[in-house]
Amino acid sequence: MDIKNFINNEEQIPLSGFWLDNYEPASGTIYGEIPNSNEDDVEKAYQAAKAAFPSWSNTSIDERSKIMLRIADLIEENLGALAAAESRDNGKPVWLAQAVDIPRASSNFRFYGHAITQYATKAHESVGKNTMNYTIRKPIGVVGCISPWNLPLYLFTWKIAPAIAAGNCVVAKPSEVTPATAYLLGEIVEKAGLPAGVLNIVHGNGASCGQAIVAHPDIKAISFTGGTTTGAHIARTAAPMFKKLSLELGGKNPNLIFADCDYDKMLDTTVRSSFANQGQICLCGSRIFVQQEIYERFKTDFVDRVKNLRVGHPDQSSTKVGAVVSAGHREKIEEYLAFAKAEPENYRILTGGNRVIVKEYEKGYYLEPTVIEVSSNDCKLNQEEIFGPVVTIMPFTDEAHALELANGTKYGLSATLWTNDLSRTMRMTQEIEAGIVWVNTWLNRDLRTPFGGVKDSGVGREGGFEALDFFTEPKNVCIEY
Ligand code: TXE
């Protein structure tokens, strides 16, 4: 699949003249190429968005909503092709893309297609002063949306949908590692009747294309999801330009398991929260802490379940763990595994830790799901985001110890708590440092809720009306009569 930029509702080859190879993680082979766009391409996309803005921002809410709901329908109608493209680009099992990624991309457009019809502002009457204040929320103009490779269409559309619902025009860049479904989205939005220039998709790497979007003087808001390091770089570029920033960054999420939990449900869900999408979800529970009373039982049962997770080609329905996204990312994960192997006194690998050779796909990027027992939460593997099929486990004694462990990293994205004790739930959810706390569940999402992290997991909130607030500017009008 050779991919092109989508500017002004037209496929366009990069002005930069440069292209990148696009790899298929399952086989480790090149299966296409994508533009490596530069600032000239970004300027062209910006001009298209700027030209479309006056009309789009004055398009009625009902008309915007109708087009967005049509986009949602077309994503659903193209579920198979989109899921296959997503899986081929990312290495995740096709069944996962069909069950999670693509349906969520449709939900993103459907949710904001409805939400924008309910989005209201406030008026304030100054009684006794013959004064009325009301707030108008205006779209910002041309905004930038930059997304990562782990949930490609899911996260790409989660930025684009509220941005265009609010009346903005968009210059969007998917990850250069997983461009395919973003490319297919261009065809879908045009078919749905989205006017030319409202959504412009430019492909390329972060340094040339992403940086050009962030540094563009007239792209006044950036919504970014990716690594904490990159987020910090983006903030340094954007801050002196007074741009609005939404930064959804890394996580190192605790999974706190108390002895009174529903054990079987916990075990089933913990296998999923550890290794779904090959552990490449910023919300995965990669640090597992288990109350001492059930620690040995959990260790035995969890390791047994993980050993039975089938690593295989993403096309096979029996595959539970597909290929990780790139050769470079696999090497990054293997550096952590090598570190653990070099310190057996601090890291006990209970299962996994090695590459998997999948027959007929020997060059694919496969890794065993790995469980490592650690003695201290201060160790490297508990402090750094590995972002792969690797989790650590260790016991805790009581609530205070569990809380100390959970909050003992620089991140604060999500946490999962397993207990049936209501008072404990209320106490601990107050104290856990995270933007989202799941209790007796995981990745259970209601799009009306704000999403985002604290500490080094980012700033800003996506989801709900918060995303519409991000992509609009409030203006207060005060009238004395
Ligand atoms: O992210 P990057 P990557 C974490 C995870 C992963 C690490 C790196 O730890 O190992 O981030 O992953 C674009 N200006 N998460 O490489 O580099 C880039 O092209 C503007 C957590 O995917 O941050 C891509 O489109 N843009 C995260 C996007 O930023 C730049 C999910 C993300 O790339 C840029 C993914 C720049 N200077 C990774 N440099 C989560 N929270 O879900 C890069 N980009």
Side-chain angles (χ1 to χ4, degrees):
M1 175 192 288
D2 283 349
I3 284 169
K4 296 183 182 62
N5 288 338
F6 177 78
I7 300 175
N8 235 2
N9 278 14
E10 291 168 2
E11 287 195 2
Q12 308 207 4
I13 61 170
L15 295 173
S16 69
F18 295 117
W19 298 80
L20 299 170
D21 290 330
N22 191 24
Y23 285 80
E24 180 187 71
S27 64
T29 58
I30 295 169
Y31 82 100
E33 55 179 11
I34 82 165
N36 193 18
S37 305
N38 65 9
E39 59 187 3
D40 296 336
D41 297 292
V42 167
E43 177 62 24
K44 189 173 183 182
Y46 167 75
Q47 290 300 336
K50 181 184 175 187
F53 179 66
S55 170
W56 180 247
S57 56
N58 286 299
T59 298
S60 73
I61 296 294
D62 286 345
E63 179 61 17
R64 285 186 218 163
S65 172
K66 184 165 72 65
I67 293 171
M68 291 185 70
L69 297 180
R70 181 74 185 117
I71 294 171
D73 291 342
L74 288 172
I75 289 173
E76 284 165 13
E77 288 170 25
N78 289 275
L79 171 68
L82 288 167
E86 195 79 295
S87 168
R88 189 172 188 192
D89 245 9
N90 173 277
K92 68 181 72 191
V94 172
W95 60 261
L96 181 64
Q98 283 176 336
V100 174
D101 296 67
I102 308 308
R104 176 59 192 273
S106 172
S107 300
N108 289 339
F109 277 102
R110 195 170 305 286
F111 176 82
Y112 284 103
H114 289 305
I116 195 62
T117 67
Q118 305 303 313
Y119 190 47
T121 63
K122 290 179 182 168
H124 300 81
E125 183 179 10
S126 307
V127 175
K129 290 176 61 182
N130 291 352
T131 301
M132 177 63 77
N133 286 272
Y134 64 91
T135 303
I136 310 171
R137 294 204 72 102
K138 306 286 284 179
I140 293 169
V142 179
V143 300
C145 297
I146 299 173
S147 60
W149 47 255
N150 59 323
L151 301 167
L153 196 61
Y154 174 139
L155 291 174
F156 194 56
T157 54
W158 202 20
K159 297 168 184 302
I160 291 166
I164 64 175
N168 299 281
C169 292
V170 177
V171 177
K173 190 195 86 71
S175 169
E176 60 277 23
V177 180
T178 52
T181 43
Y183 170 67
L184 296 173
L185 179 68
E187 294 170 11
I188 285 173
V189 302
E190 188 194 5
K191 194 173 174 186
L194 191 69
V198 175
L199 172 61
N200 303 279
I201 301 168
V202 284
H203 294 273
N205 66 29
S208 67
C209 185
Q211 180 70 19
I213 294 170
V214 175
H216 193 290
D218 299 315
I219 296 178
K220 300 310 283 181
I222 301 290
S223 175
F224 168 79
T225 296
T228 294
T229 306
T230 308
H233 174 85
I234 288 172
R236 281 193 295 274
T237 303
M241 304 173 88
F242 307 109
K243 296 187 178 195
K244 281 182 94 168
L245 276 183
S246 170
L247 300 173
E248 296 303 329
L249 307 177
K252 192 70 185 183
N253 311 308
N255 188 348
L256 303 174
I257 300 169
F258 283 85
D260 74 328
C261 71
D262 174 338
Y263 188 86
D264 292 338
K265 180 183 176 188
M266 175 280 296
L267 191 60
D268 289 343
T269 307
T270 298
V271 171
R272 194 164 58 86
S273 66
S274 299
F275 300 108
N277 202 43
Q278 298 66 247
Q280 297 166 145
I281 299 176
C282 56
L283 297 166
C284 279
S286 52
R287 292 182 295 141
I288 301 173
F289 302 111
V290 184
Q291 194 166 18
Q292 190 65 59
E293 291 87 319
I294 58 167
Y295 181 70
E296 291 304 326
R297 177 186 173 198
F298 172 82
K299 187 162 77 168
T300 305
D301 292 344
F302 183 59
V303 167
D304 183 49
R305 295 287 290 272
V306 174
K307 280 184 188 299
N308 289 307
L309 288 177
R310 188 175 178 284
V311 180
H313 191 281
D315 287 351
Q316 291 160 359
S317 56
S318 58
T319 292
K320 292 295 182 202
V321 179
V324 296
V325 75
S326 69
H329 190 56
R330 181 169 68 171
E331 284 156 23
K332 172 191 167 188
I333 298 164
E334 287 178 317
E335 284 169 14
Y336 285 102
L337 296 175
F339 190 89
K341 289 172 184 171
E343 291 190 13
E345 68 282 7
N346 296 325
Y347 300 99
R348 290 163 295 287
I349 297 180
L350 304 177
T351 182
N354 306 297
R355 289 190 176 189
V356 174
I357 303 298
V358 172
K359 195 162 169 299
E360 296 174 38
Y361 301 99
E362 287 73 10
K363 292 201 293 182
Y365 315 133
Y366 299 97
L367 278 176
E368 291 177 315
T370 301
V371 181
I372 302 175
E373 183 178 58
V374 297
S375 314
S376 162
N377 188 49
D378 297 332
C379 68
K380 181 183 176 72
L381 270 69
N382 266 39
Q383 291 299 312
E384 296 179 17
E385 188 183 42
I386 300 170
F387 216 63
V390 181
V391 296
T392 65
I393 67 170
M394 66 179 279
F396 66 82
T397 50
D398 57 19
E399 276 185 32
H401 187 206
L403 214 44
E404 178 201 343
L405 294 168
N407 292 338
T409 71
K410 67 180 184 175
Y411 294 105
L413 186 55
S414 73
T416 303
L417 172 63
W418 290 96
T419 180
N420 283 312
D421 181 324
L422 180 60
S423 299
R424 168 186 292 149
T425 299
M426 300 312 286
R427 283 193 299 272
M428 295 200 72
T429 50
Q430 285 286 349
E431 300 303 323
I432 290 171
E433 295 165 359
I436 308 142
V437 181
W438 280 294
V439 181
N440 300 334
T441 186
W442 178 70
L443 210 61
N444 187 337
R445 292 282 297 123
D446 181 320
L447 297 190
R448 293 170 296 178
T449 57
F451 172 90
V454 296
K455 303 195 310 188
D456 284 18
S457 290
V459 287
R461 287 293 178 270
E462 294 184 305
F465 286 136
E466 283 80 1
L468 295 175
D469 289 346
F470 175 76
F471 284 115
T472 54
E473 291 296 359
K475 176 191 291 180
N476 180 54
V477 178
C478 175
I479 301 169
E480 188 174 338
Y481 53 88

